[in-house]
Amino acid sequence: MSLIKIEEIDYKGWKNAIEISNTDIYLIVVPEVGRILHFSFKNSENIFYENSELEGLLFKTDTFYNHKSEAPNIGGNRILPCSEDYFHDITGYRNIPDPYINASAYSINYLENGVVLKSPISNYLGIQIERKITINKNGSKVYIEQKITKIKTAKNNQLERIPLTLWSLSKIKTSNFSYIKNAKKSIFKNGFTISEWPDAKNYALENITLNNDLITLKSSNEFPQKIGVDAKNWVASYINNNLFVESFEFDESATYPDFGTSVTIFGNKLFSELEVLSPEKHLKIGECIKYNIRWNLIKKSCKEEAEEYLQQMP
């Protein structure tokens, strides 16, 4: 009997969800909305934020949520194909990403130790995203191999000029603490940058601390906040005795989005969104960007124990 189980389940109203488990963890993938919505130890709560108001809903591939200029805040982990700076060029709205990629139904292929998700082909950007999600027979590590491929020309020349990236976003429930290792020779003052928004105040400065090269961002009780860093190895979050560590590959010679940002943390009273970004490139038809990430979930009895563990990481 295999220690890895892959089962189709009904998850909160989504009929075709996939539960991937081993001796230690549960991972639930919902291809109907192109997301990983659950990650936890067995007999433990989900670390990801989920929006109960959108449970079981399906969204049209080529239209906005509820036929309005909105993007559904479903929760979990998702992937987007470019920096937020270009959303307005794609959809006409600063906060609305490509609706072919975000919240669309993805195709699913089964593996012995996981699944492969594949997005629709975007009629805006002419791209397709593929994510191979696998686990081991035991332990709490998750491996996500990601690829964005240029399939056809974009809808117009303006969209063709957009540099592409693989941008993975994980929404961690509040309240929590998020962490990043301050990069040596960071391009940002103090190792981080605080975003300026045209329509809101960024409250990150009130919740950020720097101690022994460990940047800590306390989750917001009410107001929105966002920081960007040029981290080289990982980003993490601690919630309810669970330390979630997301590791990634960094290319010193590559160009990263948003003036060199490899990690962004956005937060509000509902969640903290850990965002890791691949290098950005302009792709010709048939070319692709590959960018792999790894998750690990570690039991730590308190915040101080989690921070001591992170201080020892490179």
Side-chain angles (χ1 to χ4, degrees), residues 69-83:
S69 55
E70 300 178 32
N73 174 30
I74 301 169
N77 169 272
R78 59 177 171 156
I79 191 103
L80 293 177
C82 66
S83 168

Side-chain angles (χ1 to χ4, degrees), residues 46-60:
N46 187 14
I47 66 164
F48 289 149
Y49 162 79
E50 297 176 274
N51 188 347
S52 59
E53 295 181 359
L54 299 182
E55 288 178 359
L57 293 186
L58 304 178
F59 306 92
K60 293 184 178 180

Side-chain angles (χ1 to χ4, degrees), residues 167-191:
W167 178 16
S168 174
L169 306 94
S170 300
K171 292 187 176 183
I172 310 298
K173 290 186 294 191
T174 56
S175 58
N176 64 63
F177 290 87
S178 297
Y179 301 96
I180 314 156
K181 194 83 165 197
N182 195 352
K184 294 181 179 179
K185 299 181 180 179
S186 173
I187 61 174
F188 301 118
K189 183 179 179 181
N190 298 320

